[in-house]
Amino acid sequence: MRALAAILPLALIAAPPVLAQKDVSPCQAGRLALDAGESAQAIEDLEACLSSEDLDPDREVSVYAGLGAAFLAEQRYEDALNAYNFAFAIAETQRAEVIEPTLWRNRGIARTELGQLEEALSDLRRAAAEMPNDVMTQLTLGIIYQDMDRAADAVVAYDHVVRLEPSWTGAWINRSSALLDAGMTGAAVDDARRAVELEPDSGTTLNMLCWTLIQDGRARTALPLCEQAVALEPESGAIVHSHASALEALGRMDEALPLYRRAWQLAPDDPEIAQDYQRTHNP
């Protein structure tokens, strides 16, 4: 479910809008580009801002924070982490004030993407303490807890996301995934069903319901849903894999084998898909 959390809003820090002017400084231009969602331009302008203007510490922290947000939007996570580290270093050494808890959250997101889970967890807990109703904070906490095999904690984090965004299918899908990890398959099915109710024509939601039903021992009920999901997204390795799993659970291994191969061809880096391919083709 990691991909669901990868779509990050560009305006990740709270900042007053800058009014458009004919002639603006690089700092103002960078903020305007950031507010407009033009992350690549924002990076160029904010880097020019840092090199061309003599900024007081508070403003320099703000510029580095904006630069970090733009790097996050461009999925340049190492650069984003460096920008946030500069912001915190300036705040600590020059007594600038890091007012926005979103800085803790965003650095935590960058660290999560770089696999620095313990450090990310520390940042995100700090952010959650100051803004407990921030969806991105809770969502990323859930992702980290799942990656750390702490399913119960992940469920708690996703509970917050479901409460805050009940109309977003990703909230239900992520909690369903965590519930599966926790061995609560019946509850996972219920959450996946809720996601399908919200988006009945989505291959992703149908696949989640298909997969949870398989794990709950209801492959016969799952199979038609798997088939619908494949029809909607035939190039998804995860969805083809679910279809294969349903067929295997029903004893239709001759039909499942080519689908396991197809799933592996579509998503060779997925550990579970690769494991099932090896299991079924190289016993």
Side-chain angles (χ1 to χ4, degrees), residues 58 61 87-88 90-92 96-101 103-104 126 130:
D58 285 344
V61 167
F88 282 105
I90 293 164
E92 181 177 349
E97 294 188 12
V98 180
I99 299 172
E100 286 297 328
L103 270 69
W104 297 101
R126 175 70 178 267
E130 298 192 43

Side-chain angles (χ1 to χ4, degrees), residues 45 80 86-87 113 234 283:
D45 291 333
F86 271 117
E113 294 293 344

Side-chain angles (χ1 to χ4, degrees), residues 28-159:
Q28 291 173 312
R31 178 58 60 191
L32 288 168
L34 195 65
D35 292 342
E38 299 171 355
S39 53
Q41 185 62 52
I43 291 168
E44 181 179 337
D45 291 333
L46 291 173
E47 288 181 330
C49 165
L50 289 167
S51 63
S52 65
E53 296 192 30
D54 186 15
L55 306 173
D56 63 62
D58 285 344
R59 195 174 180 203
E60 193 172 11
V61 167
S62 177
V63 172
Y64 272 113
L67 186 60
F71 280 135
L72 278 183
E74 290 290 305
Q75 299 183 19
R76 292 172 56 179
Y77 301 117
E78 190 73 48
D79 290 327
L81 178 57
N82 288 337
Y84 287 119
N85 284 341
F86 271 117
F88 282 105
I90 293 164
E92 181 177 349
T93 60
Q94 300 189 42
R95 298 187 179 182
E97 294 188 12
V98 180
I99 299 172
E100 286 297 328
T102 50
L103 270 69
W104 297 101
R105 179 196 66 193
N106 295 350
R107 189 172 72 171
I109 291 170
R111 284 174 159 171
T112 301
E113 294 293 344
L114 293 169
Q116 301 175 13
L117 299 186
E118 291 290 351
E119 296 88 345
L121 187 58
S122 177
D123 279 350
L124 287 156
R125 281 174 168 168
R126 175 70 178 267
E130 298 192 43
M131 45 181 196
N133 292 328
D134 182 71
V135 173
M136 188 62 73
T137 299
Q138 296 297 336
L139 182 63
T140 311
L141 278 171
I143 290 168
I144 292 173
Y145 285 133
Q146 279 195 282
D147 285 349
M148 298 175 81
D149 295 323
R150 295 172 57 175
D153 290 324
V155 170
V156 172
Y158 292 138
D159 281 343

Side-chain angles (χ1 to χ4, degrees), residues 35 55 58 66 68 72 88 156 161 177 187 190 206 228 239 254:
D35 292 342
L55 306 173
D58 285 344
L72 278 183
F88 282 105
V156 172
V161 179
S177 174
D190 290 341
L206 289 166
Q228 291 178 52
I239 291 176
D254 288 348

